[in-house]
Amino acid sequence: MHWLLAFGAGGLMVLSFAPFGWFPAAVLSIAAFYLLLPAQRRGAFVTGWLYGLGLFGCGVFWIRISLNEFGNMPAVAANVLMLLLVAALALFYAVAAVLVARLRPAPATTRWWVGPLLLLPSIWVLLEWVRSWLFTGFPWLFAGNGQINPLPLLGAPLAGWAPVVGVHGLSLLVALSAGLVVVVIRRGGAVRPAAVAALLGLWLAGALLARVEWTRPADGALTAAVVQGNVEQAVKWAADGVVPTLELYLGLTRDVLEEADVVVWPETAVPTFLHQVESALVAPLAADARAAGAEVVVGVPIMETAERYYNGLVSMGSAEDRYYKRHLVPFGEFLPFERQLRPLVDWFQVPMSDFSRGEAPRPLLQVGPYPVGVSICYEDVFPEEVRQALPTAAYLINVSNDAWFGDSLAPHQHLEFARLRALETGRPLVRATNTGISALIDHRGRVTAELGLFERGALTGTIQPRAGATPFVRLGSLPALSLAVALLLAGLLLGRVPRPPG
């Protein structure tokens, strides 16, 4: 039963993310993680690992869809690889469990509170930070990611902290809230009211911070249009699918070109190299954009040499610019350990899976008169990389192809993480995807218009370019991570009390 509860506690965290959006689940999940930890190192390792299995097994099972249905990998092999990835990611929580269990003072000591209030939040956040960059990083399902969704009567109290401390700071506050819940459950007397007051204080402070306007409008509002072709993967990359796909996107674009200031196509909306459609597509589209007084941003692969090609964005209209994707997806866009793993990728047939990495120092694209912060696909789940475009960028653009994951949790989760980038930076975000969910997001992370999964059309709405910088833009994750280190050091010093053997 203990192991089942550990797995279920990890699965509970998933309810805090989209499409469920029940943010207290993250707090309860981490509190359960702590309460389930045994004192013995071996038992703690298994408990934490099962927690991680529950979190990733329920939260990223959709990876098998890209491997099996679109990567032409046999179902058995796809499921095995997905389970291996889940098992590997779960090790982060096994390590967290061992560290917390071994470092916390025994429950009977006077400093028992060091475990839930100092060690738990610090270790949790520092391991999430390691996960954000180790082996190119997988910053998916951080505890802070689900805090942006309001609930009736409750709102989203911790979301107001996002422009101040970023997602790592949100995770720290979620884990600290969980520690306070542990204190409420385990201790009575005067301690319980103090813990409740501290918890309410954290959440009230977030609600008050949400009222602060960290950035300001710059110039007038723009009419933005997002084109979502809803072209199936099998059709998109077929040799005879290129022309119909381009005709579809051109038709949808012409419908909105006269009314839009900027039109955005999704990632690799053009399923062939730029130079192959330069005269037939790009030149006429750029001329039409200039005639209409609009700007068009197109996702397209760009070949420089036979050995170097990029997942790119091209802007056209009154200004022309290019951006090459800098943070590539392992196995999907490039092959780590190529000599050893080349047979695996040859088996997993992904179109254009050997991209080169862009080397621009900042993720900026000139779109008409505005420098814009851009991200391609899951670049937008790396907050420090998105932040590099600020405060120069007037607004953000993200293009993606979540069709790889079908009708699963992934498109909803990805949209949620993009919303958090808008809130952290105080900038509106235009998000274009091949099959949904495309959206217009304001500077507070709120969706103002969207095209759902597997819809075809052009979405139009208003965005307001902005200037200025949030505290997160100025300082990044450094304050949150520094506080986590300080809490850990304090926990190590204060927790040095005699422990019973075990």
Side-chain angles (χ1 to χ4, degrees):
M1 178 59 72
H2 180 87
W3 306 137
L4 183 61
L5 288 173
F7 182 90
L12 177 63
M13 174 76 81
V14 178
L15 296 181
S16 70
F17 308 119
F20 311 106
W22 197 63
F23 72 83
V27 175
L28 297 177
S29 173
I30 299 176
F33 169 89
Y34 186 86
L35 292 170
L36 288 167
L37 290 181
Q40 293 78 17
R41 181 179 301 174
R42 183 177 180 182
F45 182 92
V46 175
T47 299
W49 187 67
L50 287 170
Y51 177 94
L53 287 183
L55 170 61
F56 291 111
C58 296
V60 300
F61 65 89
W62 37 262
I63 290 174
R64 60 153 295 278
I65 298 174
S66 61
L67 298 174
N68 173 224
E69 298 182 19
F70 302 119
N72 301 311
M73 184 173 287
V76 172
N79 282 300
V80 168
L81 285 179
M82 182 270 293
L83 291 173
L84 287 174
L85 176 63
V86 166
L89 291 170
L91 291 174
F92 283 98
Y93 296 92
V95 172
V98 170
L99 291 175
V100 172
R102 299 305 297 168
L103 296 175
R104 64 182 177 180
T109 64
T110 57
R111 295 178 180 176
W112 58 268
W113 49 269
V114 165
L117 299 185
L118 299 181
L119 296 175
L120 173 65
S122 60
I123 290 171
W124 192 279
V125 169
L126 291 173
L127 284 173
E128 280 194 346
W129 172 71
V130 171
R131 180 156 67 86
S132 74
W133 54 262
L134 187 65
F135 302 125
T136 79
F138 188 70
W140 209 270
L141 305 187
F142 284 171
N145 283 135
Q147 299 305 301
I148 198 172
N149 301 298
L151 289 177
L153 301 179
L154 293 177
L158 290 180
W161 287 96
V164 181
V165 295
V167 69
H168 289 304
L170 285 182
S171 289
L172 186 67
L173 292 168
V174 171
L176 181 56
S177 297
L180 290 167
V181 169
V182 171
V183 173
V184 170
I185 292 173
R186 283 196 164 173
R187 284 296 189 272
V191 175
R192 181 173 292 168
V196 171
L199 181 61
L200 293 178
L202 283 178
W203 290 24
L204 178 60
L208 294 175
L209 286 170
R211 298 174 177 268
V212 178
E213 286 284 0
W214 299 104
T215 59
R216 62 187 183 277
D219 301 326
L222 301 176
T223 300
V226 173
V227 180
Q228 182 172 296
N230 192 32
V231 179
E232 295 181 14
Q233 288 290 90
V235 174
K236 174 178 177 176
W237 295 107
D240 57 355
V242 175
V243 172
T245 297
L246 296 181
E247 289 177 343
L248 169 63
Y249 274 99
L250 284 171
L252 292 171
T253 301
R254 293 191 182 104
D255 290 342
V256 297
L257 199 56
E258 293 296 330
E259 60 180 298
D261 296 301
V262 56
V263 181
V264 182
W265 291 21
E267 177 188 13
T268 58
V270 179
T272 189
F273 288 112
L274 177 65
H275 70 273
Q276 296 174 320
V277 293
E278 191 86 45
S279 58
L281 170 71
V282 177
L285 182 57
D288 290 345
R290 287 190 293 269
E295 315 297 331
V296 179
V297 178
V298 174
V300 56
I302 302 172
M303 178 181 287
E304 286 193 347
T305 68
E307 292 78 28
R308 295 185 67 82
Y309 57 91
Y310 302 88
N311 190 347
L313 279 175
V314 174
S315 64
M316 58 191 79
S318 64
E320 296 183 358
D321 200 6
R322 296 182 181 184
Y323 168 75
Y324 297 157
K325 186 177 181 181
R326 306 183 308 162
H327 199 130
L328 302 178
V329 180
F331 302 102
E333 292 177 315
F334 82 103
L335 180 61
F337 312 112
E338 182 169 1
R339 180 177 299 178
Q340 295 82 4
L341 298 180
R342 171 54 62 184
L344 174 63
V345 173
D346 290 340
W347 184 28
F348 176 37
Q349 301 170 21
V350 178
M352 295 190 179
S353 57
D354 195 18
F355 284 111
S356 299
R357 186 176 71 87
E359 298 178 352
R362 303 174 70 192
L364 286 166
L365 182 75
Q366 191 68 32
V367 182
Y370 295 104
V372 176
V374 292
S375 55
I376 297 177
C377 192
Y378 100 138
E379 283 185 320
D380 67 339
V381 302
F382 294 88
E384 292 294 338
E385 296 182 13
V386 173
R387 169 179 165 262
Q388 292 170 5
L390 280 299
T392 304
Y395 61 95
L396 305 177
I397 288 176
N398 171 253
V399 299
S400 188
N401 184 15
D402 292 341
W404 290 109
F405 309 111
D407 187 8
S408 69
L409 301 180
H412 303 277
Q413 293 171 350
H414 200 178
L415 172 62
E416 179 177 60
F417 306 157
R419 291 172 54 207
L420 192 53
R421 300 294 87 78
L423 179 59
E424 288 170 339
T425 59
R427 294 294 191 276
L429 187 150
V430 180
R431 185 166 194 267
T433 68
N434 284 268
T435 60
I437 306 167
S438 298
L440 302 179
I441 302 165
D442 71 9
H443 69 290
R444 291 184 175 274
R446 299 172 299 199
V447 175
T448 59
E450 73 174 54
L451 272 173
L453 283 174
F454 311 119
E455 294 182 25
R456 175 175 294 171
L459 175 71
T460 59
T462 300
I463 62 168
Q464 173 61 64
R466 300 186 74 84
T470 65
F472 173 74
V473 165
R474 296 184 187 280
L475 300 174
S477 299
L478 181 62
L481 296 174
S482 298
L483 180 56
V485 171
L487 291 176
L488 178 59
L489 293 176
L492 293 175
L493 290 173
L494 294 172
R496 295 177 66 181
V497 296
R499 295 175 50 91

